[in-house]
């Protein structure tokens, strides 16, 4: 390396260090955190779910208590048996989240397995997904399961585009990046699970209802953006900050770290406001099951936000 290259490398390192420091010092305390309830039988749920995992997958498979509590805050009012099943799916969902972060080269293989709902291997992630597909089919039904996997396939197909973010470029627009994060953050599968939890079938009419779609979209945006703010410190520490909405917002809009966070905080407020507008419209339909679904979606926003403030996944830095 010649002298000019050494100087350029030092300059790049200094800019990176300054960027990381700016990201670590952002303030997002101005988001009002809604109080969240936890499922009243949470200790029994954790024990029962671990027993089922051990019985079906083996003693080497351990639930993360930290991640399991995510479900307990998201679904405080659903039945004991239902929430226990949700745990199993969420654990597999987080494995997909971790896998997507690595952007593997065998995307086509995974897409085909998702499309066929078949994970024939003996590896740990194959076993988790075999169990996840089984639980989803039992809890949500085939139509919802197919739609959910289509969302995952869409996210995987976009993953390669995010590679350039890791080398300092934001190749996705704000809108496209948020859409990817909504799937990657696991927002949409929660909605299908809540629908099943309140005993509502996913019909062709409901799939096309603008208020149902609008509510889902706004809650997904709220959840994904909250996750990106609270995971920011961890991602800076792990040198993964380029795959965070704050960084993408900065690069796409020529903003400082704090200015990007301020914009995202407003987007979070707007998403909650619009979610409640759509939720009120749905409640006017006088469908008791859909009204419970709306309340469940509000639980998702409150529970995800509350959990994000203390979970080790984001805060153990």
């Amino acid at each position: 390396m010649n002298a000019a290259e050494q100087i350029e490398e030092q300059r790049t390192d200094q800019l990176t260090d300054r960027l990381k420091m700016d990201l670590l010092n952002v303030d997002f305390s101005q988001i009002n955190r809604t109080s969240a309830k936890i499922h009243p039988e949470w200790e029994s749920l954790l024990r029962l779910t671990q027993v089922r995992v051990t019985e079906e997958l083996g003693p080497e498979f351990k639930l993360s208590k930290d991640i399991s509590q995510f479900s307990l805050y998201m679904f405080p009012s659903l039945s004991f048996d239902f929430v226990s099943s949700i745990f199993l799916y969420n654990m597999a969902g987080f494995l997909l989240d971790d896998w997507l972060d690595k952007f593997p080269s065998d995307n086509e293989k995974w897409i085909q397995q998702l499309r066929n709902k078949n994970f024939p291997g003996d590896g740990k992630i194959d076993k988790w997904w075999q169990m996840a597909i089984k639980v989803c089919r039992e809890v949500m039904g085939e139509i919802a399961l197919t739609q959910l996997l289509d969302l995952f396939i869409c996210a995987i197909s976009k993953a390669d585009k995010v590679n350039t973010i890791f080398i300092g470029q934001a190749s996705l627009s704000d809108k496209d990046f948020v859409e990817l994060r909504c799937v990657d953050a696991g927002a949409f599968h929660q909605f299908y699970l809540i629908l099943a939890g309140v005993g509502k079938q996913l019909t062709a009419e409901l799939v096309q209802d603008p208020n149902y779609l609008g509510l889902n979209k706004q809650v997904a945006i709220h959840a994904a953006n909250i996750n990106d703010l609270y995971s920011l410190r961890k991602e800076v520490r792990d040198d993964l900050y380029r795959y965070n909405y704050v960084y993408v917002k900065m690069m796409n809009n020529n903003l400082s770290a704090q200015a990007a966070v301020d914009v995202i905080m407003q987007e979070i407020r707007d998403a909650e406001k619009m979610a409640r507008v759509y939720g009120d419209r749905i409640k006017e339909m006088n469908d008791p099951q859909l009204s419970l679904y709306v309340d469940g979606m509000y639980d998702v926003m409150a529970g995800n936000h509350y959990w994000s403030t203390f979970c080790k996944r984001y805060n153990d830095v």
Side-chain angles (χ1 to χ4, degrees), residues 73-245:
Y73 280 105
M74 298 277 266
F75 310 105
S77 57
L78 296 185
S79 72
F80 185 97
D81 291 340
F82 192 85
V83 176
S84 180
S85 294
I86 289 172
F87 276 0
L88 303 177
Y89 180 76
N90 273 347
M91 293 305 299
F94 273 103
L95 283 175
L96 178 67
D97 174 57
D98 291 340
W99 173 80
L100 272 176
D101 289 346
K102 297 177 179 62
F103 306 109
S105 58
D106 57 349
N107 282 355
E108 288 303 319
K109 170 189 171 184
W110 269 83
I111 288 173
Q112 196 59 45
Q113 287 179 318
L114 283 168
R115 190 169 281 129
N116 294 336
K117 308 183 184 74
N118 181 31
F119 292 81
D122 293 325
K124 189 169 185 178
I125 199 165
D126 291 284
K127 289 182 178 180
W128 268 120
W129 273 90
Q130 289 163 13
M131 192 174 197
I133 294 295
K134 175 184 174 184
V135 169
C136 286
R137 184 177 278 116
E138 292 172 354
V139 173
M140 297 187 298
E142 199 70 34
I143 294 176
L145 173 59
T146 299
Q147 286 201 342
L148 175 61
L149 295 180
D150 283 344
L151 284 169
F152 282 133
I153 290 169
C154 178
I156 293 169
S157 67
K158 287 184 178 181
D160 285 339
K161 297 179 182 178
V162 186
N163 280 326
T164 55
I165 294 176
F166 281 95
I167 59 173
Q169 302 171 13
S171 63
L172 290 177
S173 67
D174 292 0
K175 178 177 179 293
D176 286 342
F177 187 83
V178 170
E179 287 180 357
L180 172 62
R181 286 289 297 121
C182 284
V183 179
D184 186 23
F188 284 100
H189 74 253
Q190 312 296 336
F191 309 159
Y192 291 117
L193 291 167
I194 295 172
L195 203 63
V198 300
K200 186 70 177 178
Q201 291 292 318
L202 183 65
T203 63
E205 292 78 14
L206 188 58
V207 167
Q208 298 176 12
D209 185 274
N211 294 315
Y212 171 77
L213 295 174
L215 174 64
N216 290 358
K217 179 180 179 180
Q218 296 304 319
V219 174
I221 290 172
H222 187 280
N225 288 0
I226 285 287
N227 288 170
D228 270 24
L229 288 189
Y230 281 92
S231 65
L232 183 59
R233 287 177 299 169
K234 177 182 185 299
E235 289 168 357
V236 171
R237 183 199 65 184
D238 296 343
D239 204 31
L240 293 172
Y241 61 90
R242 292 184 180 90
Y243 185 51
N244 187 289
Y245 190 32

Side-chain angles (χ1 to χ4, degrees), residues 66 230-231 233-235 237-238 308-317:
D66 182 54
Y230 281 92
S231 65
R233 287 177 299 169
K234 177 182 185 299
E235 289 168 357
R237 183 199 65 184
D238 296 343
S308 298
T309 66
F310 71 82
C311 69
K312 290 183 179 179
R313 184 179 177 89
Y314 297 157
N315 297 289
D316 190 18
V317 293

Side-chain angles (χ1 to χ4, degrees), residues 189-306:
H189 74 253
Q190 312 296 336
F191 309 159
Y192 291 117
L193 291 167
I194 295 172
L195 203 63
V198 300
K200 186 70 177 178
Q201 291 292 318
L202 183 65
T203 63
E205 292 78 14
L206 188 58
V207 167
Q208 298 176 12
D209 185 274
N211 294 315
Y212 171 77
L213 295 174
L215 174 64
N216 290 358
K217 179 180 179 180
Q218 296 304 319
V219 174
I221 290 172
H222 187 280
N225 288 0
I226 285 287
N227 288 170
D228 270 24
L229 288 189
Y230 281 92
S231 65
L232 183 59
R233 287 177 299 169
K234 177 182 185 299
E235 289 168 357
V236 171
R237 183 199 65 184
D238 296 343
D239 204 31
L240 293 172
Y241 61 90
R242 292 184 180 90
Y243 185 51
N244 187 289
Y245 190 32
V246 177
Y247 176 83
V248 173
K249 180 70 76 174
M250 291 171 65
M251 295 299 105
N252 282 343
N253 302 278
N254 193 28
L255 297 174
S256 68
Q258 187 60 56
V261 165
D262 291 344
V263 172
I264 293 170
M265 284 196 294
Q266 187 57 52
E267 290 178 3
I268 290 169
R269 296 186 194 100
D270 291 343
E272 180 166 6
K273 178 180 177 181
M274 287 307 302
R276 294 187 182 279
V277 169
Y278 288 119
D280 288 345
R281 292 175 184 170
I282 291 173
K283 288 197 170 190
E284 289 174 0
M285 297 167 63
N286 294 319
D287 182 323
Q289 291 171 316
L290 281 180
S291 291
L292 288 173
Y293 177 74
V294 171
D295 291 337
M297 296 294 270
Y298 297 162
D299 284 340
V300 166
M301 289 191 292
N304 175 64
H305 195 169
Y306 185 78

